[in-house]
Amino acid sequence: MYLITVFGNLLILLAVSSDSHLHTPMYFFLANLSFVDICFTSTTVPKMLWNMQTQTKVITYEDCITQMNFFITFAGMDDFLLNVMANDRFVAICHLLNYIVIMNSWLCGLLVLVSWILSALHSLLESLMVLQLSFCTVWEIPHFFCELNPMIQLASPDTFLNNMVVYFGAMLLAGGPFFGILYSYYKIISFIRGISSAQGKYKAFSTCVSHLSVVSLFYCTSLGVYLSSAAIQSSHSSATASVMYTVVTPMLNPFIYSLRSKDISSSDEIL
């Protein structure tokens, strides 16, 4: 599954970079999403596979903090890029005549840059907060990677400030992009409802199907992890469910876009 994820997303990157017809804002954001998905799954899966192969479950404190830092960064980037891609679809459908002017290369680059900066700052803040906590000399994380919540639960009892930072960060940097996506699709659906012909409605909505599928997969799996872990209170169940959004979702994204996009499919045939 890890190899499929890496090669599938690399194929998307190769197709977008080599085909001039794909040098558009939508595929620019898709290429960034594919790169982030490779990095996102590579922060956890190789170490997990190494542990399974060697039958060891040891990670140093420094490596654990580093893994957590990169995981938060790339998870945040997924959130922001999905929001940016929803805004791109909104402009493409609701402001088609001005699409090229609005979604120019400068704005696209700026949106991606701001997403990287916000994700990195959020990750740095969370990592610095964890570094202030005190742990025992030897402790066990009930997970297959160093996720933020299990690490905070293993720290000393005084973790109120860390929990508050985690909740506010989740509301602002995860909830913000999510509600941005909802708002974009609310405007898109309102605009499509005003189209008179059924063919026009289908053509307009068909450009959103791939992105909407990826958004649904990402948020349903990630929300399902935390809702199930809160309800069941089982670390094993939480770790098992986490495989869905750390491994399965990045693996399926290239298939969703390749199957739904005629441009990507034709590029794959050329490659």
Side-chain angles (χ1 to χ4, degrees), residues 192 195-206:
I192 291 177
I195 300 176
S196 57
S197 66
Q199 184 178 1
K201 291 181 179 180
Y202 172 79
K203 185 176 181 181
F205 186 75
S206 64

Side-chain angles (χ1 to χ4, degrees), residues 27-213:
Y27 290 109
F28 171 73
F29 297 133
L30 175 59
N32 279 274
L33 181 65
S34 295
F35 172 74
V36 170
D37 278 343
I38 293 173
C39 298
F40 179 61
T41 192
S42 295
T43 59
T44 58
V45 177
K47 177 61 177 174
M48 178 183 67
L49 294 176
W50 175 258
N51 291 344
M52 293 167 61
Q53 182 67 26
T54 60
Q55 294 299 309
T56 60
K57 300 179 181 180
V58 178
I59 186 170
T60 65
Y61 178 72
E62 293 79 8
D63 290 342
C64 191
I65 296 296
T66 302
Q67 185 185 59
M68 184 191 69
N69 183 277
F70 282 110
F71 179 83
I72 296 174
T73 299
F74 296 127
M77 275 301 298
D78 264 334
D79 270 337
F80 284 117
L81 283 175
L82 290 175
N83 181 33
V84 168
M85 294 172 76
N87 294 332
D88 174 74
R89 292 299 83 206
F90 162 69
V91 176
I93 293 174
C94 302
H95 303 281
L96 179 59
L97 297 179
N98 296 322
Y99 176 72
I100 297 177
V101 176
I102 297 175
M103 300 301 297
N104 55 72
S105 57
W106 184 86
L107 179 61
C108 293
L110 180 63
L111 290 172
V112 172
L113 178 62
V114 170
S115 298
W116 276 110
I117 293 174
L118 292 176
S119 299
L121 290 176
H122 174 235
S123 177
L124 179 62
L125 174 63
E126 298 286 8
S127 300
L128 291 176
M129 293 294 295
V130 172
L131 288 173
Q132 304 302 315
L133 299 175
S134 58
F135 298 92
C136 299
T137 305
V138 180
W139 38 281
E140 179 180 345
I141 304 172
H143 219 298
F144 66 91
F145 68 97
C146 295
E147 194 172 21
L148 183 60
N149 287 335
M151 289 188 65
I152 294 178
Q153 293 172 5
L154 293 174
S156 61
D158 187 18
T159 59
F160 175 77
L161 183 59
N162 291 78
N163 288 322
M164 292 302 295
V165 171
V166 170
Y167 292 141
F168 278 111
M171 285 190 294
L172 293 176
L173 298 180
F178 178 69
F179 284 109
I181 293 171
L182 291 180
Y183 178 76
S184 295
Y185 274 103
Y186 166 75
K187 300 295 289 184
I188 288 173
I189 293 173
S190 299
F191 181 85
I192 291 177
R193 289 179 61 186
I195 300 176
S196 57
S197 66
Q199 184 178 1
K201 291 181 179 180
Y202 172 79
K203 185 176 181 181
F205 186 75
S206 64
T207 63
C208 303
V209 172
S210 297
H211 177 258
L212 197 57
S213 302

Side-chain angles (χ1 to χ4, degrees), residues 11-23 267-268 270-271:
L11 185 60
I12 294 290
L13 286 169
L14 183 59
V16 173
S17 61
S18 61
D19 191 346
S20 59
H21 294 93
L22 301 182
H23 294 173
S267 297
D268 291 343
I270 294 172
L271 294 173

